[in-house]
Amino acid sequence: MKNNSFICAGARVLLAIAATLLVVELSPKAWAGGAVQFGPATNFATGNNPGAIAVGDFNHDGKPDIVVMTGAGVSLLLNLGNGVLADPTNSPALFSYGGAIAAGDFNNDGKLDIVDVSDTSSTPGGSILFGDGNGFFPARTNLSYSYYAGSVVVGDFNRDGNLDLAIGNSGYVTVALGRGDGSFGSPTNYTLNAIRANTDMRAADVYGHGRTDLVVSVNSSANSNCFCVLSNKSDGTFAVSQYFAAGGRSENHYSLEAGDFNADGNQDVAVLNYNAQSATIWINSGNGNFIPTHEYQLGFSPANIIKEDFNGDGKIDLIIRGGSVARVLLGDGDGTFTLNPQWTISTDTYNYGTSVTVGDFNSDGMPDLAIVNYTSNSVAIMLNQTPPTLQMSVLAGYNQISWLNTFGLGYSLEYTTNLATPASWQPFPYPPVLIGNQKAIADWADGGQKFYRLKKP
């Protein structure tokens, strides 16, 4: 049995709680989420030399499956439910395990396909694996224009309804516009200063112009650049609009993430600093002008980053991985993050490529982790066990107790007036009502102390 978040209402604490809630309800921090909790890792075999990883529903059963690049091709692990993955099925592809992979419907048949790109000169290029909607990839088309690639992103760059590709190569970014039948037009290469072979890239509307831009990490050994923004001209072509410097220091930036970290409607950027063992938050002040506002020391050299709301408070959190350790940065909703060593996650060793991804693998409404374990030839599933957060609003004559209905399933509300007696917890006698994305109950304020908790069997 696991007991989760609890709060107290009583005569001596009511005024303090009321003052706190008054501030909370008027600020972006309306849901004060707690620490993220993940269960133990369960490993599932992938085949030899697993590398980049991606998530998608490849057999149309409503559950997220996993694809992993291996030394022999693409391994597909279908999700059986409850966080359990089936044995992998393999499809050959033209790449090395250390490249990049992404999912998308490239031929508009309603079935997810896969794009993979290589990161070595010995196996240049990549391929499109066409899904049949049943978890198999019977057809493949080779790509000849990706070379020594470290990242690939998918998006509709020219807004024609077809998915396009952007590939981060050694020294340039390749953009190829999709025709909607699984083929792509002639590629356009955009040369960048000091871009790495194992660079990272995200697609985001940086300038707020309704078009998908590209944010690319660069190597700062020569010119202190940290990342670059390619501005979308609306026709699927890009302008290398601006570089952002890393404070004059030589640095390796293996990964970055884009998201609205301070809830102002602009896309911000989090960049990993491998040598400095840190992560820097760059806030978009509008029109794509970024300012480095906070740098967080991690205690290890970071190589992978991914975003998600892991504790259900409506704010973007970050998980950062490097080597055999990963750490959670909890978003505060104002562009700052809270880092605590107790949230460190031990993982198998893997440093490059996209080796961490997120999906609701047990269908409980909470984002779980999938992490590539290179040395053990497996992928680890870590289920999110973070409880929803109780919130109290003090009203005239009664208190309203509420929690997010959209985060986690199977929790019930209990109460007691005496914490000294463990057996005194009882189910709240009336069912909660659904208000938006919250469940809530109202309880009379009778002048005494009463404690509430959410409990999941």
Side-chain angles (χ1 to χ4, degrees):
M1 302 276 254
K2 183 177 67 175
N3 298 333
N4 297 297
S5 52
F6 84 92
I7 54 179
C8 165
R12 287 179 293 177
V13 297
L14 201 53
L15 292 177
I17 292 175
T20 301
L21 290 177
L22 180 61
V23 175
V24 166
E25 289 175 349
L26 296 176
S27 74
K29 300 182 178 182
W31 285 96
V36 174
Q37 302 173 25
F38 289 101
T42 302
N43 295 326
F44 300 91
T46 59
N48 291 334
N49 300 326
I53 187 172
V55 168
D57 182 6
F58 295 100
N59 61 348
H60 286 180
D61 65 352
K63 298 189 285 285
D65 310 308
I66 290 175
V67 286
V68 183
M69 296 176 68
T70 70
V74 169
S75 287
L76 170 64
L77 290 77
L78 293 176
N79 187 348
L80 301 178
N82 296 321
V84 177
L85 303 180
D87 292 337
T89 57
N90 298 311
S91 300
L94 287 178
F95 57 80
S96 164
Y97 64 85
I101 191 171
D105 182 6
F106 300 113
N107 57 356
N108 291 325
D109 65 351
K111 304 163 186 173
L112 271 185
D113 312 309
I114 297 171
V115 57
D116 63 81
V117 291
S118 168
D119 75 340
T120 69
S121 57
S122 61
T123 55
S127 57
I128 303 292
L129 302 178
F130 295 102
D132 65 359
N134 297 310
F136 298 96
F137 303 91
R140 183 184 77 192
T141 296
N142 293 335
L143 303 174
S144 60
Y145 43 74
S146 60
Y147 176 77
Y148 213 61
S151 58
V152 58
V153 297
V154 175
D156 184 4
F157 303 137
N158 59 350
R159 298 185 289 182
D160 65 350
N162 301 321
L163 290 181
D164 311 311
L165 299 178
I167 302 168
N169 295 284
S170 180
Y172 58 95
V173 169
T174 297
V175 175
L177 300 181
R179 297 190 178 103
D181 59 359
S183 66
F184 296 83
S186 299
T188 301
N189 294 329
Y190 299 90
T191 301
L192 301 183
N193 295 330
I195 188 173
R196 301 186 59 87
N198 50 359
T199 188
D200 200 11
M201 182 165 45
R202 293 293 187 271
D205 183 3
V206 169
Y207 293 95
H209 50 195
R211 305 189 290 270
T212 303
D213 309 306
L214 297 173
V215 185
V216 189
S217 64
V218 297
N219 182 13
S220 61
S221 60
N223 51 26
S224 79
N225 286 331
C226 183
F227 66 96
C228 175
V229 175
L230 277 67
S231 177
N232 191 329
K233 297 180 180 179
S234 80
D235 58 357
T237 63
F238 293 81
V240 182
S241 58
Q242 191 170 357
Y243 290 86
F244 295 90
R249 67 190 183 198
S250 176
E251 187 54 82
N252 294 310
H253 307 288
Y254 291 126
S255 190
L256 51 69
E257 187 60 273
D260 185 4
F261 303 140
N262 60 349
D264 66 352
N266 299 316
Q267 291 291 304
D268 311 307
V269 175
V271 182
L272 301 187
N273 309 308
Y274 188 84
N275 300 344
Q277 299 189 343
S278 66
T280 301
I281 306 301
W282 294 70
I283 295 299
N284 186 343
S285 59
N287 298 320
N289 182 31
F290 290 91
I291 300 172
T293 57
H294 295 85
E295 183 170 346
Y296 297 93
Q297 293 299 317
L298 302 170
F300 60 91
S301 296
N304 308 138
I305 184 172
I306 195 165
K307 69 178 180 182
E308 187 57 83
D309 178 11
F310 290 104
N311 62 353
D313 64 355
K315 304 160 191 171
I316 295 177
D317 308 310
L318 301 173
I319 285 187
I320 299 173
R321 182 186 187 185
S324 60
V325 66
R327 183 160 290 176
V328 181
L329 274 69
L330 290 178
D332 296 322
D334 57 2
T336 64
F337 291 81
T338 299
L339 185 151
N340 192 312
Q342 72 180 23
W343 301 328
T344 299
I345 304 167
S346 296
T347 75
D348 195 350
T349 300
Y350 191 82
N351 244 0
Y352 305 112
T354 305
S355 65
V356 182
T357 192
V358 175
D360 182 6
F361 299 116
N362 60 349
S363 302
D364 66 350
M366 301 159 67
D368 309 307
L369 289 183
I371 303 178
V372 170
N373 293 326
Y374 177 73
T375 59
S376 60
N377 296 319
S378 65
V379 59
I381 298 296
M382 301 180 69
L383 298 179
N384 193 334
Q385 296 181 350
T386 306
T389 302
L390 280 172
Q391 192 84 352
M392 181 160 55
S393 300
V394 179
L395 305 171
Y398 64 96
N399 301 316
Q400 179 176 285
I401 313 298
S402 57
W403 63 97
L404 284 175
N405 178 51
T406 55
F407 196 79
L409 301 175
Y411 289 89
S412 59
L413 186 70
E414 295 184 342
Y415 77 97
T416 183
T417 57
N418 184 4
L419 278 182
T421 306
S424 64
W425 286 98
Q426 300 180 37
F428 194 78
Y430 305 110
V433 296
L434 192 62
I435 305 175
N437 65 347
Q438 303 175 29
K439 283 185 174 180
I441 62 97
D443 200 12
W444 298 111
D446 56 9
Q449 286 189 331
K450 187 177 287 186
F451 302 88
Y452 304 87
R453 73 178 181 183
L454 291 173
K455 183 179 179 183
K456 188 174 185 179

